Amino acid sequence: MNPGGGMDMQALLQQAQQMQQQLMEAQQQLDEAKVEGTSGGGLVTVTVSGRGSVEDIRIDPKAVDADDAEETAQTIADLVLAAIRDAEASVEELQQEKMGPLAEGLGGGGLPGGGGMPGLPGF
């Protein structure tokens, strides 16, 4: 038996608690973050939370052609969709920036059954 085994387990638990704290802090930062996506040269702007929830959509009145309501409606729908996709790409980058280092710290597999906890297979 390894007489230092208890110390290793204590250190491992402490490391897990630190990682959990870092994860909670990263999630809080994502909750508070705001990301914008645009399309049509700024005709449509979408604001999305760091978690990916659409929070605001702004449409410049210049995007509206009163003489062709049907085509304008379709154009605006396309621009909104493009702006959301632009914002989603930014959210993905932000999430990777905030959460990526934590996933790497877990060995990329996460805790439950992923084999990601160093020294303990399956943890």
Side-chain angles (χ1 to χ4, degrees):
M1 302 254 345
N2 180 357
M7 294 293 274
D8 291 342
M9 183 56 89
Q10 184 65 28
L12 190 60
L13 289 174
Q14 187 175 18
Q15 181 183 8
Q17 288 174 335
Q18 288 174 343
M19 291 179 78
Q20 182 179 16
Q21 180 65 32
Q22 290 171 340
L23 178 64
M24 290 171 53
E25 289 171 6
Q27 289 173 334
Q28 180 68 29
Q29 290 172 352
L30 288 175
D31 286 340
E32 295 171 359
K34 301 289 183 253
V35 175
E36 284 193 351
T38 61
S39 67
L43 289 176
V44 175
T45 303
V46 175
T47 304
V48 178
S49 76
R51 295 278 193 136
S53 298
V54 176
E55 297 191 349
D56 187 39
I57 298 174
R58 291 181 306 281
I59 300 171
D60 189 313
K62 291 182 230 166
V64 178
D65 180 358
D67 295 332
D68 193 352
E70 187 173 333
E71 185 164 329
T72 295
Q74 184 59 51
T75 299
I76 291 173
D78 292 343
L79 289 172
V80 168
L81 185 58
I84 289 172
R85 288 183 177 147
D86 183 48
E88 286 174 340
S90 296
V91 166
E92 192 172 311
E93 288 177 22
L94 179 65
Q95 288 175 347
Q96 182 61 35
E97 175 187 320
K98 298 293 183 193
M99 304 297 279
L102 296 173
E104 289 171 16
L106 293 173
L111 287 176
M117 193 64 101
L120 286 178
F123 283 95

